[in-house]
Amino acid sequence: MARDDELKYAGEFRIDECTIITHEGFEYNIVALIEAVNFYEDIYSATVSGSIIVKDTTNIVMNFPIIGQERVRLRIQTPQANPTRETMIDFTSSPLYIYKINMQEGLNEGSQVISLEFASSEGLRNQTSRISQSYSGQPSDIVEKILRDESYLNSKKELTTEPTANNVKIVFPNYKPFKCIRHLLNISNSAVANSSPSYLFYETAAGFNFRTFDGLCKEPVKFFFRENVASVLNEKKVVDVKLNLETIVSYQIVTSKDTYKNLQNGMIASKLIEHDIYHKKLDLHKYDYLTNFDTDIHPDEGGSPIIAAAADLDTNKPITDSDAKLYVTSTASGYSFSEGENYPYQSDNRNQTLQRKKSRKIQFESGVALNVEVPGQTSIHAGDKIRLEIGATSTLVQKDEDTDLTGNYIVTQLRHSFNQSGDAKHSIVMRVAKDSKQGSPYGNSVQNVNMLYQDGGKATTTSTDTEYYSQTTAV
């Protein structure tokens, strides 16, 4: 007989608790009413969110009542011998906040389907508090102070931080907590990931994270997924469930290479004109993807750029030699206002953060990105590094793998779907992205340029003068 902690099939799950707590303190266990639970994580969102869909025959919305001010204690897990905070969705000690009744639809006489939207309690506290306070020190330490302060977010959840390399001194003028944290993201450089400025602040079921893209890329691969993995029998001649968990159910390429867009938004190259209002001077800072490629840390160790270094056929210049994106900012050189010579705080730090941070974010949004569906397991989180192995679809090359799509990815968005209606099943749909490709770089030599212009590249001009119109009328 199988144990409760033994996984019987890929996608199995267990809802241990789902208890609604009303604004008056009454509790109601709704596990038996649940049709489905959706749970969302996103590295671009400060909090988790989701929905609970219930089939109700007692009209709990009116009788309980549910008014959008409730808490819910929720714990869901993939069956496992030693569950931990990282391997299950557990909000029993920090209940989620039900803020919206999204759907209330009658099925038949005496029953209805209700969708309850929830999010982290820190999201509510962010809406109801503001910060008017000065801070000094490392941005990573200031983020933790804001997160823990009882007057602001008052969070007791785990916080994973990537140490920052710069000291700042800042005053927040009546800002909401998450806005303060977003500002700190924009002026921070990592102390452990090649001074990366690509900081993110997000929540998963395991807790809050203050990390950079480069820091996430340094992590080891946590999960492997393969395309078209057939059911494999283990030594006991039964289906190997663990191998089935590694199967890619389906995938879809969601971004295509858009050079116009990547030029316009500064991914490929940009220039920053910085006006120093204290010293009355202008400084020019240049950034480009290819020059900075080896400085950045990528999911695929030893990966290659996703654009070519070849010169443009018209201009004979590389595509990174471009003025398509221009930033203009001002600085007061904050250190200059100190009486001492060793002022420990930086000013806004834009020349060290703005261009590289913008480019890094867009590299993961507009680089190689897939929507992937896999069997569910509660140990996968947004921000995890995974590996996909996808077969080649071309008959023109003798390759077993698609070198553009196969490789390591960062999970940027994730949706857990726990379906209890019919056959109970847990599935995951996740957005995964990377900023490089496996294999050798694209070629950088230009050949057969003369073949591009069949007319020798000669320009012609037609003037719509009087003679032109007389000829047109005659015809």
Side-chain angles (χ1 to χ4, degrees), residues 14-114:
R14 189 173 68 225
I15 301 179
D16 295 330
E17 183 173 359
C18 187
T19 302
I20 293 179
I21 307 164
T22 69
H23 63 285
E24 295 177 317
F26 298 110
E27 298 188 4
Y28 187 26
N29 188 336
I30 63 168
V31 171
L33 305 179
I34 292 176
E35 290 285 295
V37 177
N38 294 301
F39 188 85
Y40 303 98
E41 297 177 356
D42 187 339
I43 64 172
Y44 305 117
S45 176
T47 63
V48 298
S49 61
S51 64
I52 302 171
I53 300 172
V54 300
K55 185 177 180 180
D56 177 37
T57 58
T58 59
N59 199 358
I60 59 174
V61 171
M62 182 182 71
N63 295 327
F64 198 36
I66 296 176
I67 61 174
Q69 294 177 247
E70 290 72 36
R71 300 293 197 279
V72 57
R73 290 197 301 266
L74 180 67
R75 182 168 63 221
I76 307 176
Q77 63 171 305
T78 301
Q80 53 193 294
N82 300 299
T84 64
R85 175 179 54 82
E86 290 82 7
T87 61
M88 60 180 177
I89 297 173
D90 187 359
F91 287 86
T92 52
S93 58
S94 299
L96 299 158
Y97 188 80
I98 296 177
Y99 66 91
K100 181 181 180 181
I101 303 170
N102 191 46
M103 178 185 70
Q104 190 172 359
E105 183 178 306
L107 284 179
N108 49 49
E109 187 175 352
S111 67
Q112 59 181 341
V113 174
I114 304 168

Side-chain angles (χ1 to χ4, degrees), residues 307-428:
I307 66 173
D312 183 80
L313 297 179
D314 286 327
T315 64
N316 202 32
K317 295 180 179 179
I319 195 170
T320 53
D321 188 2
S322 165
D323 291 335
K325 186 63 176 180
L326 177 65
Y327 300 101
V328 180
T329 187
S330 61
T331 180
S333 299
Y335 61 86
S336 301
F337 294 99
S338 172
E339 293 181 359
E341 294 183 359
N342 297 316
Y343 188 65
Y345 305 110
Q346 291 185 352
S347 56
D348 50 28
N349 200 30
R350 291 293 189 184
N351 62 325
Q352 299 294 323
T353 59
L354 178 60
Q355 295 163 280
R356 188 177 169 193
K357 178 182 176 66
K358 293 278 190 180
S359 179
R360 292 296 284 152
K361 182 174 184 290
I362 298 163
Q363 287 168 32
F364 281 88
E365 291 177 347
S366 302
V368 182
L370 308 176
N371 280 343
V372 181
E373 181 180 355
V374 297
Q377 47 186 314
T378 52
S379 52
I380 301 179
H381 302 294
D384 283 348
K385 183 177 174 179
I386 67 170
R387 181 169 182 81
L388 302 182
E389 295 181 0
I390 298 175
T393 58
S394 174
T395 59
L396 300 178
V397 292
Q398 299 299 317
K399 292 182 179 179
D400 294 330
E401 292 184 342
D402 187 318
T403 54
D404 282 343
L405 298 183
T406 293
N408 300 336
Y409 290 80
I410 300 300
V411 179
T412 59
Q413 296 168 299
L414 179 148
R415 183 189 72 200
H416 290 277
S417 294
F418 304 94
N419 192 342
Q420 286 205 132
S421 60
D423 295 331
K425 184 180 179 182
H426 173 202
S427 62
I428 292 176

Side-chain angles (χ1 to χ4, degrees), residues 248-313:
I248 298 174
V249 177
S250 64
Y251 73 90
Q252 177 186 15
I253 302 173
V254 294
T255 59
S256 58
K257 297 175 181 177
D258 189 333
T259 302
Y260 276 12
K261 179 181 177 182
N262 292 338
L263 281 169
Q264 292 169 357
N265 58 28
M267 187 204 98
I268 294 176
S270 64
K271 291 183 179 180
L272 169 66
I273 297 176
E274 186 178 49
H275 177 211
D276 189 330
I277 61 176
Y278 185 82
H279 290 110
K280 297 180 176 61
K281 66 175 184 176
L282 295 176
D283 292 317
L284 176 65
H285 305 278
K286 295 183 178 181
Y287 170 91
D288 74 79
Y289 168 79
L290 292 175
T291 301
N292 213 68
F293 187 83
D294 290 335
T295 302
D296 294 330
I297 302 171
H298 311 281
D300 283 319
E301 187 175 350
S304 301
I306 55 176
I307 66 173
D312 183 80
L313 297 179

